[in-house]
Amino acid sequence: MRALAAVMLLAVSPVGLSDSAGKLRFDIPSQSLDDALREFSRQAKHHLLYPSDVIGADLRRGLRGYYTVEEGLAQLLDQTDLEFVVDGHGSVAIRRRTRAVKAEQPPTLVSATADNAAVDDIWRSVSIAEVIVTARRREESLQQVPLAVTSIDADEIEARGIQNTEDLNARAPGVAVNGGNFFGRANGAFRVRGVPGVAVYVDGVVRSGSAGLLMNVVEIERLEVLRGPQGTTFGKNAIGGAIQYVTRKPREEQGLRIKATTGSANRTDLLIDMDLPLSETLLSKFTAATLNRDGYVDSIDGDFSFGDQRDRLLRADLLWRPNERFDALLIGEYAVQKSNGTPGVTWQLNPVCPDDQVPSNFVGSVPNSACIYEAVGMPIDPDWTYGASEQWKSAANRPIRQNSFVSSGATLELNWDVSERLHAKSISGYRETDLYVGHDFDGTPYHLYQAFSAADRQELSEELQLLYNGERLTGTSGIYYYTDRNWSSRQNWVANELRFDPYLSARQALGGQYAAYDPMIIDSLTEARSEGWAVFAEWTARLTGKLSVSVGARYTQDDITQNYYRPRHPLAEQCCMPTRSVSPDGPKLENNSGSATFDEVSPRISIQYRWSPDVMTYFTRSSGFSAGGFSGGNVPFLPNGGFLPFGPETLISNEIGVRADLLDRRLRLNATLFDGEYDDVQITEELQEAPGFPVTTNAGEGRIRGLELEGAWNVTKQLTLQYGASWLHTEFTEVGRAKNLELGSEFAYSPEFAYSIGAQYDWSLPAGNALSARFDYGWQDRVFTQSDINTRSQQRAYGVGNARLSYRDARNRWEVSLFGSNLFNEFYRINGFFLPADQIDTGTPGRPREWGLSVRYATN
């Protein structure tokens, strides 16, 4: 068989063997030589290229300890008829020896200058790179994992212009990443196959809450997106899926990487990352970044634009390896995201007056606030609905304070090789966050609907894992504990001008509902606490050389408490001086508080069959669970303040997948067919009796069906194509307790069809320099932003194209890149929310066309 196996590092570009004189730590359990070489490539950060038919199927090798790259390869190839050659740029080719060698003679490095032709032949037929993922908390080939996984390494993240997690939208099939419907980019909303409840992990620690999830991608090793319920190998239960954000670890060699970027919207970014070994056993890494851009939604009242970016990041890693069997990694991070205001745009603003036909999604009484504004002499200009005319403009008031999100925390990871086959891991995490955000929902110069929120959150988690890797049996078992506490305020001024003269007198003179209208001030303080624990396990048995079965289960218990308080600093009647305080005034409101415990057992089973080294199929049946909670509360005109509980939701998902490398491993085709039953679906809706106060309840059942395709094609040595597509059908098959849900309606943020395609062409220049050009395009169907027919907005279909041209030198130390985003200047929205009482459709558009120039320098 002439197909080739090619393994390459996910996170960094290769360097020549001559740069690797220092010893590296290898931890490769005994396994087939083919698998051991793949793992060696990943740990050594070097390409390994070899025809698959030269590796004996019965050869087994392992490698533990500190070796140079040459020493390590010599150990792995000892007592074989194999040797390795290098092309001078860090790519190593393995082949059968071309001359007789005594059996006891170890393999040696063959000079590339004497064997360029042999290496060039291998390069000309190079296959798609092997991708190593940790989707089941152990390192495996992407093509051998019975899950739908997308893995994007550091080089691809750079090339595809992924600057924050929002850019994953349309990059991974079935994944929708949007801003929060209320406050735009200050919050992140992730859905996989139309299902929320997606756990976001950063270096193994889950990020609770939605604030700050649209994080900047800085010094990352890889991003992994796991679709479908995840719980039998992960700490936090995740009904929709999981996203793993893995940062790069400290290196054994001292090094410095600097990247500076300038561009449109006064973009000024600077990233500095430094590896600083303190001793042979103690390594450190320090990262600092400042990311700055002007706003992009222009105010009509002067030289001002909403949505600027003033972000800072500091991260420090300390890695201690006292011996070959134990290491401890401590990560500390401080991040700040600041903006001069939510870049909101208004799509609709509809007055509803007594003689008008009432819209079908109207909630509240007639006339509504917009009608009263016009009646008392504050007309609503139709031009202010700039979203409808696709303009990045707003008539909103300038914010009193800037939006800010501050996060600080630490992660401690301990790894211990108990034996050659048994590995123990501990992951501890603590984080504090502070959020302040505001949004002018109406997008007018009036104080028709001003919304503000402040939040203070603490998160603590601990996860213990045992990983076993045997010849026939592998598995992960673990126990997980977490506790979260979140204080948050809701501060709204509604129709504020109508509370005061001269407009108060004017509407009183009109009489009727004009005079009876009561402009609201909403001022509430909530404490939400959750605490829980789980035990989980998943084990894989290799029944034959081709057939494997994985069985797992998870037990989860969540204790949920929600309390309402009177704020210590109540809002003034006159808009708009919000407070950042989340301090209570007195005890909790007894009729607006509650606690509940939820538990569930969630099993998973997978059967996979490896038809050949290049084709694998699998069937997986998994369960997901999301705890219930409480909603409403502090609504003065409703019984018990409108405080009501809602129950948990569950998802049972069936998945059939094919993982295939075709055309001598030049074409990768991964296909996944899935079907899911979603029960007691949690939705948020706004009721007629409580306009302005959304409540969460359980709908009945939902159904999910679809197909996902993903892969790559190495057309030539220079040209690579990547593609992904998803067909998704979601519908509510039972309404349950929901009141504003249509039978057969689709889930929120569930595009029926979406696709992405990327093309990259590489030129080899004289003296080993290189030039690369890349273009990416992603498109998705229209979606609704809510399931509630009253509050949903429609996000029309759209497509976004990005491009990048980069030059790097032969030693891969200098790289200069020119890039552009949203090349076709597409006007699209990343979220939306319809206020049915005020008939306001508001949302956040994506950024317009922008360009940038970056220069990167790296010493290693």
Side-chain angles (χ1 to χ4, degrees), residues 299 301-306 340 395-401 440 450:
S299 171
D301 67 350
D303 186 19
F304 178 83
S305 298
F306 296 91
N340 61 4
N397 300 282
R398 293 195 182 193
I400 302 297
R401 296 176 176 173
D440 186 327
Q450 310 292 125

Side-chain angles (χ1 to χ4, degrees), residues 341-359:
T342 302
V345 171
T346 303
W347 270 259
Q348 295 182 53
L349 210 173
N350 305 323
V352 180
C353 296
D355 295 331
D356 296 339
Q357 182 176 351
V358 177

Side-chain angles (χ1 to χ4, degrees), residues 664-693:
D664 287 341
R665 296 189 181 177
R666 290 177 178 270
L667 174 65
R668 174 159 294 168
L669 174 61
N670 292 346
T672 306
L673 184 69
F674 57 90
D675 180 277
E677 296 179 3
Y678 198 7
D679 194 25
D680 292 326
V681 185
Q682 298 168 1
I683 70 166
T684 300
E685 54 186 1
E686 190 162 322
L687 306 180
Q688 182 71 31
E689 61 269 25
F693 294 91

Side-chain angles (χ1 to χ4, degrees), residues 160 163 328 357 396 407 467 470 485 514 570 592 640 647 649 671 677 713 733 739 746 765-766 792:
R160 298 179 73 172
Q163 301 173 36
Q357 182 176 351
S407 170
L467 298 93
R485 187 179 187 183
Y514 291 91
N592 288 244
N640 204 36
E649 57 182 359
E677 296 179 3
W713 180 22
T733 56
K739 297 183 179 180
E746 65 195 66
L765 303 179
R792 67 185 184 185

Side-chain angles (χ1 to χ4, degrees), residues 562-607:
Q562 186 158 309
N563 301 314
Y564 280 86
Y565 296 82
R566 291 186 179 85
R568 179 172 296 177
H569 303 285
L571 297 182
E573 289 192 10
Q574 184 78 45
C575 186
C576 298
M577 288 299 294
T579 176
R580 300 184 66 129
S581 171
V582 288
S583 299
D585 182 20
K588 64 183 179 182
L589 305 176
E590 291 298 335
N591 293 330
N592 288 244
S593 301
S595 297
T597 298
F598 306 93
D599 62 354
E600 182 78 6
V601 175
S602 304
R604 179 160 72 179
I605 183 170
S606 297
I607 302 172

Side-chain angles (χ1 to χ4, degrees), residues 152-190:
I152 309 176
D153 66 24
D155 290 336
E156 187 179 341
I157 287 169
E158 181 78 15
R160 298 179 73 172
I162 297 175
Q163 301 173 36
N164 58 54
T165 50
E166 180 191 325
D167 294 329
L168 288 174
N169 224 356
R171 301 305 205 279
V175 176
V177 184
N178 301 88
N181 285 330
F182 294 102
F183 296 111
R185 282 190 162 90
N187 301 94
F190 294 82

Side-chain angles (χ1 to χ4, degrees), residues 237-518:
N237 54 309
I239 189 172
I243 295 175
Q244 292 202 88
Y245 181 109
V246 183
T247 62
R248 194 182 57 77
K249 304 304 182 286
R251 299 179 182 177
E252 286 81 0
E253 301 85 20
Q254 183 171 323
L256 177 67
R257 289 163 299 283
I258 301 175
K259 180 181 177 183
T261 303
T262 187
S264 56
N266 286 320
R267 180 169 184 167
T268 308
D269 298 346
L270 180 63
L271 167 65
I272 300 175
D273 186 74
M274 178 174 61
D275 286 295
L276 185 62
L278 304 177
S279 70
E280 290 186 359
T281 60
L282 191 61
L283 311 176
S284 66
K285 181 172 75 74
F286 302 94
T287 303
T290 173
L291 310 170
N292 307 276
R293 274 191 283 182
D294 285 349
Y296 62 99
V297 172
D298 296 332
S299 171
I300 65 171
D301 67 350
D303 186 19
F304 178 83
S305 298
F306 296 91
D308 72 347
Q309 177 181 345
R310 300 289 181 265
D311 296 351
R312 307 290 182 266
L313 173 71
L314 295 173
R315 184 188 297 141
D317 296 44
L318 191 64
L319 178 60
W320 181 47
R321 288 176 176 165
N323 54 56
E324 298 178 10
R325 305 180 69 89
F326 178 82
D327 65 58
L329 175 64
L330 177 64
I331 303 173
E333 183 182 278
Y334 177 78
V336 178
Q337 298 178 6
K338 291 187 176 181
S339 172
N340 61 4
T342 302
V345 171
T346 303
W347 270 259
Q348 295 182 53
L349 210 173
N350 305 323
V352 180
C353 296
D355 295 331
D356 296 339
Q357 182 176 351
V358 177
S360 60
N361 65 341
F362 182 71
V363 172
S365 58
V366 180
N368 72 345
S369 58
C371 172
I372 300 175
Y373 267 75
E374 291 199 323
V376 298
M378 290 183 286
I380 304 296
D381 190 338
D383 289 343
W384 292 340
T385 56
Y386 291 105
S389 57
E390 299 192 346
Q391 298 183 68
W392 285 275
K393 295 176 68 175
S394 175
N397 300 282
R398 293 195 182 193
I400 302 297
R401 296 176 176 173
Q402 64 181 356
N403 294 349
S404 68
F405 174 75
V406 180
S407 170
S408 60
T411 299
L412 176 62
E413 179 181 314
L414 307 177
N415 290 281
W416 178 34
D417 289 335
V418 182
S419 66
E420 183 176 349
R421 299 190 183 279
L422 186 62
H423 181 85
K425 181 190 289 282
S426 167
I427 305 174
S428 307
Y430 178 77
R431 191 169 75 122
E432 295 182 354
T433 63
D434 181 80
L435 172 73
Y436 172 81
V437 63
H439 185 188
D440 186 327
F441 273 88
D442 53 277
T444 75
Y446 311 135
H447 297 145
L448 202 154
Y449 203 116
Q450 310 292 125
F452 304 89
S453 179
D456 186 358
R457 189 182 194 102
Q458 296 88 38
E459 306 168 0
L460 175 68
S461 65
E462 172 61 36
E463 183 174 350
L464 299 175
Q465 301 174 12
L466 280 177
L467 298 93
Y468 181 80
N469 187 11
E471 294 185 8
R472 292 286 184 178
L473 187 66
T474 59
T476 301
S477 301
I479 185 169
Y480 176 73
Y481 169 80
Y482 79 97
T483 178
D484 298 338
R485 187 179 187 183
N486 184 53
W487 287 91
S488 62
S489 68
R490 180 185 178 187
Q491 307 168 42
N492 297 160
W493 281 274
V494 180
N496 193 245
E497 289 91 346
L498 300 182
R499 298 177 67 91
F500 309 101
D501 283 332
Y503 308 110
L504 173 59
S505 299
R507 65 186 181 88
Q508 288 176 339
L510 293 172
Q513 287 298 316
Y514 291 91
Y517 181 84
D518 185 17

